[in-house]
Amino acid sequence: MKAAALFSGIGGFCLGFERQGIKTQWALELNQHAVETYRANVSTPRIIQKDIREVSVAGDDLDVELQQVVLDQGEATDRRF
């Protein structure tokens, strides 16, 4: 099984999935400090530091077959959403 993370933060959910054998294919997080911590703790091959409103599923941002992915959604800390 594969996973993807939206609002991944420092990667707690992804790390938990990884320890259970579920590989996160990509993660999305806007906060630079969270991205740095995520990279130090989780072996996800790709973390995208970008505003979710600017991410293209059909484009180069998320190159993965979505029907094979379980989405792990964190909490958006930016209340403008």
Side-chain angles (χ1 to χ4, degrees):
M1 185 179 297
K2 300 175 186 176
L6 304 174
F7 311 109
S8 62
I10 63 170
F13 280 110
C14 297
L15 187 58
F17 282 141
E18 186 176 284
R19 290 181 177 171
Q20 295 302 312
I22 300 170
K23 187 71 174 170
T24 301
Q25 298 300 297
W26 52 262
L28 178 69
E29 175 56 51
L30 180 60
N31 182 282
Q32 176 63 37
H33 299 291
V35 169
E36 291 170 6
T37 302
Y38 186 101
R39 285 189 175 128
N41 292 313
V42 184
S43 66
T44 298
R46 186 167 188 203
I47 181 163
I48 303 163
Q49 183 183 353
K50 200 175 216 182
D51 188 314
I52 194 168
R53 295 171 292 189
E54 299 173 5
V55 175
S56 170
V57 175
D60 294 331
D61 289 331
L62 309 177
D63 184 22
V64 66
E65 294 182 32
L66 292 178
Q67 57 268 48
Q68 297 179 2
V69 173
V70 173
L71 289 176
D72 162 25
Q73 180 178 344
E75 179 179 342
T77 55
D78 185 342
R79 299 296 179 198
R80 291 179 292 170
F81 292 109

